[in-house]
Amino acid sequence: MKGLLWIALLFSILAFTGCMGSDDQYAPDKAVIETLVNDYFTAAFNIDYTTWTGENELPFLTPDRAKIMQGLFADFKQSFIDNQLTQEVDAVEVIRVNIETETSGNVYCIVKVSGYDNGSAYRETIEYSIPVKKIEGKWLIDDFKIQSIE
């Protein structure tokens, strides 16, 4: 009986100290997804109404999401011109990456932006839930769900 207690204690110590290794088989994918999200927001949310086309965000999106976004670009462009919008990303903080299957997951992040809208300075903090998919070996953003805006 004492032997079993010692073995249990030893495994507990090994588990708490990390000596048994990580069971997170998706750690490399999570790092790639974090980079994807950071790169996407940097490319897509740095906006100058005089030059914005939206095309720079397409490489980060699934083909289906890219088609949807392309259909919205004209309205976005007009809105940006009407409001003389300029915006830059101040920070992207990835809170959590959940990989649900080998080809799907979800990212929770906070994006801080600042800029000018109709000549008035503004700052926003936006919390997102972002479904991601792995297509042909590459992680891509499949949708955007705003959780909150401050």
Side-chain angles (χ1 to χ4, degrees):
M1 183 79 163
K2 270 187 171 178
L4 289 176
L5 288 175
W6 280 108
I7 291 173
L9 180 61
L10 178 62
F11 277 118
S12 295
I13 291 169
L14 290 173
F16 284 117
T17 60
C19 293
M20 292 182 68
S22 171
D23 64 345
D24 190 353
Q25 67 183 6
Y26 295 117
D29 285 315
K30 287 181 178 181
V32 168
I33 292 168
E34 283 188 37
T35 300
L36 166 72
V37 169
N38 276 299
D39 291 351
Y40 168 75
F41 281 109
T42 300
F45 277 46
N46 285 319
I47 298 169
D48 179 340
Y49 72 94
T50 62
T51 59
W52 184 87
T53 64
E55 296 298 315
N56 56 341
E57 73 182 79
L58 297 178
F60 303 96
L61 306 176
T62 62
D64 290 343
R65 175 53 49 187
K67 285 179 191 170
I68 292 168
M69 294 306 292
Q70 283 177 312
L72 300 173
F73 284 166
D75 289 340
F76 286 164
K77 176 71 173 174
Q78 189 58 54
S79 173
F80 296 164
I81 290 170
D82 292 347
N83 295 319
Q84 296 183 349
L85 182 73
T86 59
Q87 175 178 285
E88 65 182 45
V89 174
D90 298 321
V92 177
E93 181 183 352
V94 175
I95 305 299
R96 185 172 63 250
V97 176
N98 291 337
I99 296 181
E100 294 144 8
T101 70
E102 290 182 6
T103 60
S104 68
N106 209 338
V107 180
Y108 299 92
C109 67
I110 295 173
V111 179
K112 295 180 180 183
V113 297
S114 60
Y116 290 89
D117 188 351
N118 278 322
S120 298
Y122 74 94
R123 291 189 180 283
E124 286 184 336
T125 300
I126 311 162
E127 184 179 343
Y128 285 94
S129 171
I130 303 171
V132 292
K133 287 185 179 178
K134 193 173 193 179
I135 298 174
E136 296 179 8
K138 185 176 180 182
W139 285 101
L140 299 166
I141 294 171
D142 192 45
D143 200 358
F144 314 93
K145 298 175 182 173
I146 295 175
Q147 304 299 305
S148 66
I149 299 177
E150 294 178 19

